[in-house]
Amino acid sequence: MSNVENPALAPSREVAAPRPAWRIFLIRPETMTLALLILGVFAGSQLSEFFLDINYILKSFTLYAEFAIVALVLTMVIIAGEIDLSAASNMALSACVFAYAQQTGAPLPISIAIGLSAGLFMGLFNAFIIIGLKLPSIIVTIGTLTLYRGLAQIIAGDKSIRVPESFIGINNVFIGGIPAPVIIFIILSIVLGLVLGTTIFGRQIYLIGTNEVAARHAGVRSKSIKIILFATLGLTSAFAGLLTASRLGSVRYDLGLGGELQMVLMAMLGGTYIFGGRGTILGTFLAAWLLVIVTTGMIVANWLPAYQLCVLGVLLIISIIATNFIYSRTER
Amino acid sequence: MKSLGTTFLRREAGIVVMIVLFCLVVGAVKPQFLTLNSLRIIFLLVPLIMIGAMGQMLVIVARHVDLSIGSILGLTAMASGMMFRFHPEIWWQLGFALSIGSGALLGLFNGLLITLFRLPAIIVTLGTLNLYRGITFIMSDAKQIDRQYVPTALKEMSQDSPIFGIPWIIFMSFGIATLTYWFSMHTRIGREVFALGSNPTAAPLRGINVSKVTLTVFTISGALSGLAGIMYASRWGFVNPSNTGNGFEFQVIAAVVIGGVSINGGLGTALGTVLGVLLLGCVAAALPLLGIPGTTQNAIYGAVILVALLIDRLVRKQGQRQNVARAAA
């Protein structure tokens, strides 16, 4: 899986291996994502001449950067054989807790810390129920999805809470011409990609997702690793919630509503195997860009939001069919 | 087999005790809760959830989950609403056929994706949840179907009653519950749903057609959501492309798991689900009486799901211990 050789070397001599390296490379899901990405950029450029403006694409990316950041960690959770649908609700509740704290007079740094620790706590709560009580993560996170969103609704009511002026506008901070959320996303991708791809911890995540019993017998502390993953996801969701609050300038309970679709979609489009054990950060990274290109393309083409909802739903189904198909072909 | 029967009984008795305790506690604080009028409120709250819960129960027993039922409810309600709007002269009963039929088709589509490509139901229905909602918007041009378009005869089904002042939709929901009981206990394919859920590996080896069973449960779930859709139009008298059915799936899943349907598949009864729905109805009816704002509802549904999961876990642990004890004896 990991030993992809240089595709240029393979065809020169008689290939004795059952599958040439270039074919292994070609039928990787990430390759599919990359191909779709190039196709998307091409199609977008046909739609409108303004589409290929890199600044415009970067600006559009800031709208999805929050979900994309969470999707990176979610990818690792899915690779470990679990799933978390509550991340978008976590974003909303953390942001509401943050906004409520600063509204009651807490200084900004302390409010931020409270918001982040709320997210961390939610992640740990998920982990406690899923790992401590051995319940399936699918149903548990459907429950916490409803619960966290409901708590956010209790805190914020139907009103929106303003956040202080100094906190607003992270999406308008540019570093070297690139918006800050995009920078954060890229840095996080590199860090998590290195963690997942090169460290022992990362390899252990793959092992847990492939066969948890075998992993435990091989001395992998699967429980602690999963707890770490859920806690990281909670913390990251809270961070993403604060980014969203900073972008929007106010917080409502329906912040990031329906975001679980986009997050799962990014992971699935990037070739993460829904049954665990396979997938890469690179795939999710590419998929996030693909999703932005697709949605931006639809906006440029003046499609109604309803059509976008349909397209995202269909994309999700197609992407998991394709990924499953590719993995079943490469099964040894 | 006998111990399994007693486990069921104990579980359902537990829910009844919870309902009675809850009503007594609320009644002690607010005596008007223990009147016929609030019973009427409870029974008018539950029909939609009960019908959805019957389909979801079968799906969860078969070890799947259907997140798209809220969107199916919205789409089918919108389909009938648009028929009423553009063809007011049409026989209004056709709305039932249209909603149930289109719901069954949407459910079948879910089932086909799941069986043909061997995909996990949760991801497929998360996709179709958004797909169906999008279609509802496109179909309706994002316009609401207002009260005047919904036929009076249909609306009266939620108000008029054949006997005892109990409206038609309540009879229908209990009728569906009875049918589900019969289907799950006394038909071959109904029993196969349980066999599949309790051991998906063994089921095909015993000659059970897994695809057929999966398609059946998802089609039933879709068709019942369709019925809930037309009943939504009857109960509330309007259909809104974004609100109708939004979040329905969470209420239904909460009702099903509190009703003792095991999320690990293979366990669950129609009676338990009915009781779960009633408990949820009691809670929903008690909130405004106790002066708790409606914004807490979602949090309560979420908490209910988690509490039910914990109970399920405890019951299963106890059952395992009993099995071990019996095997040792």
Side-chain angles (χ1 to χ4, degrees), chain A residues 85 133 136 138-140 142-143 145-147 150 153-154 261 264 274-275 306-307 309-310 313-314 316-317 320-321 324, chain B residues 67 113 117 119-120 122-123 127-128 130-131 134-135 137-138 250 263 295-296 298-299 302-303 305-306 309-310 313:
Chain A
L85 295 177
L133 303 173
I138 289 176
I139 304 273
V140 170
I142 289 177
L145 178 155
T146 324
L147 178 69
Q153 204 173 358
I154 292 176
L261 171 78
V264 174
I274 185 64
F275 299 109
Y307 284 94
L309 212 56
C310 287
V314 170
L316 176 62
I317 294 167
I320 78 166
I321 292 175
N324 279 11
Chain B
L67 291 181
L113 285 174
F117 300 103
L119 302 177
I122 178 117
I123 302 291
T128 52
N130 291 275
L131 172 64
I135 293 175
F137 270 104
I138 295 169
F250 299 121
I263 33 147
T295 46
T296 54
N298 278 325
I305 294 180
L306 293 179
L309 290 180
L310 295 185
R313 170 93 189 119

Side-chain angles (χ1 to χ4, degrees), chain B residues 185-264:
Chain B
M185 294 312 230
H186 295 288
T187 65
R188 187 190 172 86
I189 190 154
R191 297 315 298 165
E192 285 178 351
V193 173
F194 284 80
L196 174 65
S198 45
N199 195 335
T201 325
L205 299 176
R206 295 295 300 261
I208 291 172
N209 186 340
V210 175
S211 310
K212 194 177 96 182
V213 175
T214 313
L215 285 180
T216 310
V217 291
F218 275 97
T219 310
I220 292 177
S221 172
L224 290 180
S225 309
L227 178 59
I230 186 77
M231 281 168 57
Y232 183 98
S234 160
R235 174 77 180 83
W236 303 107
F238 68 92
V239 183
N240 183 292
S242 74
N243 287 343
T244 299
N246 204 351
F248 183 61
E249 56 275 8
F250 299 121
Q251 300 173 13
V252 165
I253 290 173
V256 169
V257 290
I258 200 84
V261 177
S262 170
I263 33 147
N264 287 296

Side-chain angles (χ1 to χ4, degrees), chain B residues 287-298:
Chain B
L287 288 182
L289 260 185
L290 295 171
I292 300 171
T295 46
T296 54
Q297 278 217 4
N298 278 325

